DNA sequence: GTGAAATTCGGACGCTGGTTCAACTTTTCA
DNA sequence: TGAAAAGTTGAACCAGCGTCCGAATTTCAC
């Protein structure tokens, strides 16, 4: 096994352990156990426990920002863009579950303090992109012009991030179904679907595939 | 100062510290510093650090369950009950911010393991009460009958819990305004308010006080 | 096969942090 | 006012954990 591959193994193991126990509660020994190594051996690959965490943090957030930019660049209707952004968020969330588990639970600001990583900046960028989606909808007259965009954005993202607490890949709902329901919920609220559909000016085209 | 009062001080200080740093990252010394005491002195009041955490956990959750039961017992319309439950959740959330900060971030299952506290049970009860609210709405024909109740419940609670990440008492939005927007969002989604109002069968009476 | 390089081992070191405790100070109340 | 009770101190103990390092083992080129 190459050095790179071994390093990747270690980082993945660390991600799992950090998510399960939390960064501070997790011991280097736990990471070693996960790999069947002795803890001293890890230091052949890493320098400190903090660097291990830092290594995990880079990547997932950047990918989400990039994916959001792509969606924004399309010519879809606002409601559809929103649906796709929600889906995208949930999908990345699930794919980098370990990372987000850490990201949501730990206070990672101390990482920004003494290194080149700028997590907070990335989050700000991501938020701004969401706001753009909502603003487009308002400008197009299909979203409530009276809404407070930051609150609504936080409401939707909070809704998505909440999946961390309860979503299980082997649970009753596949991630697509959750995305579908979340999008429908965001766009139409709880009002009976028929009435909502009748009144809605911008139906989502994503619900056609699975009508559950 | 009475013993009870001193104990309360200690638990409150611990709550603040645990929320700021996380239970595992926080040190007993930090709690002592918060009070201007020496760490040894704390042990005149507490037995272990874990008990300190356990003491914090009891209470807030029980109060929320009780408050939800009260709302359910009223004769309000489903949409109004939902609005009130959302408000209630956010209000308790803010009032016991330290507790929830810990609750959401830490893995507290280990507390259930070897003590009489049954956090998980409480959470299950709380979820069930929310589901009742939603079911009532469906039965009354004012909520979408096709929704997956558990998903929607989790969506709304997730939305509320997300406030932990961003809500600041001195920020631009008072908690009431957030509750109002969340409820409106849940009930009508993002569709323009006028169209939503026209079609809605159960307007919320809570928005009358502040129209932002 | 042999030697060097890469990798892993296993123990040691030092620090941190939870907990204990005997001594000291303050409060209480007869 | 004085003695007992309540509360606080500060040092010490000890276990756990991050980190280091020389020795042992494995890998691999020649």
């Amino acid at each position: 096994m190459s050095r790179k591959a071994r390093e990747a193994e270690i980082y993945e193991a660390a991600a799992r352990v950090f998510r399960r126990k939390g960064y501070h509660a997790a011991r280097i020994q736990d990471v070693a156990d996960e790999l069947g190594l002795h803890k001293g051996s890890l230091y052949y690959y890493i320098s400190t426990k903090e660097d291990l965490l830092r290594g995990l943090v880079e990547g997932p957030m950047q990918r989400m920002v990039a994916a959001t930019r792509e969606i924004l660049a399309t010519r879809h209707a606002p409601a559809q863009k929103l649906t796709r952004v929600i889906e995208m968020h949930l999908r990345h969330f699930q794919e980098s579950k370990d990372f987000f588990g850490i990201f949501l639970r730990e206070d990672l600001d101390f990482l920004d303090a003494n290194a080149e990583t700028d997590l907070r900046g990335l989050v700000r960028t991501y938020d701004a992109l969401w706001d753009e989606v909502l603003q487009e909808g308002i400008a197009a007259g299909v979203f409530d012009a009276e809404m407070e965009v930051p609150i609504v954005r936080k409401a939707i993202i909070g809704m998505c991030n909440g999946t961390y607490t309860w979503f299980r890949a082997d649970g009753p709902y596949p991630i697509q179904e959750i995305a579908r329901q979340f999008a429908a919920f965001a766009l139409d609220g709880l009002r009976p679907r028929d009435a909502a559909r009748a009144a809605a000016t911008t139906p989502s085209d994503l619900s056609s595939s699975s009508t559950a």
Side-chain angles (χ1 to χ4, degrees), chain A:
Chain A
M1 178 180 315
S2 76
R3 162 135 200 167
K4 274 277 170 232
R6 192 55 155 169
E7 262 176 23
E9 265 195 356
I10 290 174
Y11 277 89
E12 280 160 25
R16 285 195 298 274
V17 171
F18 289 173
R19 175 163 78 89
R20 273 205 301 272
K21 304 198 151 191
Y23 172 72
H24 293 283
R27 333 263 167 223
I28 279 290
Q29 180 71 57
D30 297 327
V31 180
D33 288 348
E34 188 91 1
L35 294 161
L37 276 182
H38 284 242
K39 61 176 181 172
S41 310
L42 293 181
Y43 285 82
Y44 182 71
Y45 298 93
I46 68 169
S47 53
T48 70
K49 187 187 175 192
E50 185 175 324
D51 278 342
L52 201 44
L53 176 60
R54 208 188 307 279
L56 296 175
V57 156
E58 293 164 359
M61 204 66 216
Q62 270 116 342
R63 284 199 289 278
M64 282 180 93
V65 167
T68 313
R69 285 220 168 88
E70 276 179 33
I71 293 168
L72 256 172
T74 64
R75 294 188 164 280
H76 291 300
Q80 214 174 100
K81 282 190 184 176
L82 181 68
T83 305
R84 287 179 193 283
V85 171
I86 290 174
E87 262 201 313
M88 181 277 303
H89 188 99
L90 285 174
R91 208 171 46 244
H92 280 79
F93 213 73
Q94 191 199 11
E95 279 167 12
S96 304
K97 208 162 187 310
D98 289 327
F99 160 72
F100 283 104
I102 298 163
F103 178 73
L104 287 179
R105 287 166 49 156
E106 306 284 341
D107 178 10
L108 299 180
D109 284 354
F110 74 99
L111 288 182
D112 284 7
N114 43 2
E116 65 290 348
T117 49
D118 183 21
L119 251 195
R120 260 175 301 197
L122 267 176
V123 171
R124 265 197 304 275
T125 307
Y126 187 64
D127 286 350
L129 292 171
W130 270 77
D131 287 352
E132 268 187 60
V133 175
L134 295 173
Q135 296 286 7
E136 276 187 19
I138 292 174
V142 296
F143 289 168
D144 177 16
E146 287 175 35
M147 73 166 155
E148 294 287 341
V149 170
I151 294 188
V152 170
R153 181 236 305 147
K154 284 162 174 166
I156 301 176
I157 291 182
M159 188 168 92
C160 296
N161 289 352
T163 58
Y164 165 70
T165 315
W166 55 271
F167 178 76
R168 298 286 171 267
D170 56 354
Y173 306 109
I175 198 83
Q176 291 86 354
E177 170 65 11
I178 293 166
R180 204 181 66 78
Q181 294 251 351
F182 275 16
F185 177 62
L187 292 168
D188 295 321
L190 291 174
R191 299 182 324 114
R193 204 44 43 96
D194 299 340
R197 274 219 196 87
T201 49
T202 57
S204 155
D205 67 343
L206 284 164
S207 46
S208 54
S209 55
S210 65
T211 328

